[in-house]
């Protein structure tokens, strides 16, 4: 079978191949008409003008063998009916490749590869398409720059990048110090209740406050007297009578004889 030539596989397990093809242009459809030992007969559904036959043939062969467009190249026969097509990145050996072609023989397919290629070329060179591609490229560049910046929280928010999660740490009360300080800080109500049960605390005398006299409100000293003739302070309370004084007056009145 000279129509298919397959080279040995490389270290990656891929190989190259060459197909000898006889092309019949101007048909109503694309079809692998026959797989002969010497040549493959292929019908293409485009006329022979402006290189459309070659574009249609390469697209059709890539479709039959499930290959990418860059894996199929025209090696020779650009302006003739007899052509040699080179294939790259194949996983099949020669026998498997021939069987794959024979299974596709006789099937009819619409011719659209040449038209798709022409439309793609027109869109590529269209002024609006060029402008859109420039805008997309600029956006991608700005996005990459924002993502690579050391600190850009607003950029990350606008671009939809989730913020970094903060580690969750548990806080425990510190244990330390004397037992008295710990108990006082832990239960202030208990400390206050115990202080109330013991009674009022006596003032502590120190070397600093011995002999000091605390002034009472109103300008009087702590003993209740008036200070420098000012207004009466707490000592003025003695001028008012009490219940005991009233009772003593009543007893004196009762002891006197009637007039």
């Amino acid at each position: 079978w000279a129509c298919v030539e397959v080279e040995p596989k490389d270290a990656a397990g891929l190989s190259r191949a060459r197909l000898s093809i006889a092309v019949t242009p101007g048909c109503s459809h694309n079809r692998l008409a026959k797989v002969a030992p010497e040549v493959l007969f292929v019908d293409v559904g485009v006329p022979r003008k402006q290189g459309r036959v070659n574009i249609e043939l390469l697209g059709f062969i890539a479709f039959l063998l499930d290959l990418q467009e860059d894996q199929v190249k025209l090696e020779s026969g650009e302006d003739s009916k007899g052509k040699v097509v080179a294939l790259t990145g194949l996983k099949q050996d020669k026998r498997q490749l021939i069987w794959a072609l024979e299974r596709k023989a006789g099937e009819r397919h619409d011719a659209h590869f040449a038209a798709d290629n022409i439309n793609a070329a027109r869109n590529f060179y269209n002024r609006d398409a060029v402008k859109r591609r420039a805008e997309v490229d600029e956006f991608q560049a700005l996005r990459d720059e924002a993502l690579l910046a050391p600190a850009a929280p607003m950029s990350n928010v606008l671009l939809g990048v989730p913020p970094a999660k903060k580690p969750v740490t548990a806080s425990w009360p510190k244990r330390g110090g004397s037992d008295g300080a710990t108990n006082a800080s832990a239960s202030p109500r208990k400390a206050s209740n115990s202080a109330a049960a013991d009674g009022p605390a006596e003032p502590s005398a120190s070397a600093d406050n011995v002999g000091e006299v605390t002034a009472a409100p109103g300008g009087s000293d702590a003993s209740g007297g008036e200070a420098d003739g000012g207004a009466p302070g707490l000592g003025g309370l003695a001028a008012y009578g009490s219940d005991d004084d009233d009772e003593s007056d009543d007893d004196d009145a009762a002891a006197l004889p009637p007039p």
Side-chain angles (χ1 to χ4, degrees):
W1 291 77
C3 62
V4 178
E5 297 178 2
V6 180
E7 298 179 0
K9 294 183 179 181
D10 55 9
L14 303 177
S15 61
R16 296 169 53 90
R18 293 182 180 85
L19 306 180
S20 299
I21 301 175
V23 181
T24 302
C27 300
S28 60
H29 49 263
N30 294 340
R31 184 183 65 160
L32 177 58
K34 183 179 179 181
V35 180
E38 300 295 332
V39 68
L40 303 175
F41 294 94
V42 178
D43 299 337
V44 293
V46 294
R48 184 185 295 176
K49 64 177 182 180
Q50 299 179 354
R52 293 187 179 183
V53 174
N54 296 332
I55 297 174
E56 190 71 25
L57 174 65
L58 297 178
F60 182 56
I61 295 298
F63 168 75
L64 291 178
L65 299 176
D66 195 15
L67 300 175
Q68 300 295 328
E69 293 183 0
D70 56 352
Q71 294 181 262
V72 183
K73 302 294 182 182
L74 183 63
E75 190 171 283
S76 63
E78 183 176 356
D79 297 328
S80 62
K81 290 185 177 182
K83 303 178 184 296
V84 177
V85 177
L87 308 177
T88 58
L90 295 177
K91 297 181 179 180
Q92 303 96 327
D93 55 15
K94 183 174 182 178
R95 182 178 298 181
Q96 294 173 345
L97 187 57
I98 293 174
W99 288 348
L101 292 172
E102 287 181 344
R103 285 195 299 267
K104 301 292 184 177
E107 296 180 359
R108 297 184 177 185
H109 303 275
D110 295 334
H112 62 87
F113 299 102
D116 293 345
N117 185 275
I118 294 173
N119 292 334
R122 288 177 178 174
N123 293 333
F124 184 80
Y125 291 105
N126 190 306
R127 181 177 301 176
D128 295 337
V130 171
K131 183 178 180 180
R132 285 194 298 270
R133 284 197 305 273
E135 293 176 353
V136 171
D137 294 341
E138 183 180 1
F139 172 77
Q140 292 292 343
L142 293 176
R143 184 177 185 275
D144 295 341
E145 183 180 356
L147 292 177
L148 294 177
M154 290 303 299
S155 301
N156 293 342
V157 171
L158 295 176
L159 295 173
V161 179
K165 295 183 179 180
K166 297 182 178 180
V168 179
T169 58
S171 59
W172 300 95
K174 296 182 179 179
R175 298 180 179 271
S178 61
D179 296 337
T182 304
N183 296 334
S185 61
S187 55
R189 180 177 296 180
K190 184 177 180 180
S192 62
N193 293 337
S194 62
D198 295 340
E202 296 181 357
S204 59
S206 61
D208 296 337
N209 56 11
V210 172
E212 292 181 359
V213 178
T214 303
S220 64
D221 56 3
S223 60
E226 295 182 1
D228 299 335
L234 294 179
L237 293 177
Y240 294 93
S242 62
D243 294 338
D244 297 338
D245 297 339
D246 294 339
E247 291 178 359
S248 61
D249 294 341
D250 294 338
D251 293 340
D252 294 341
L256 295 175

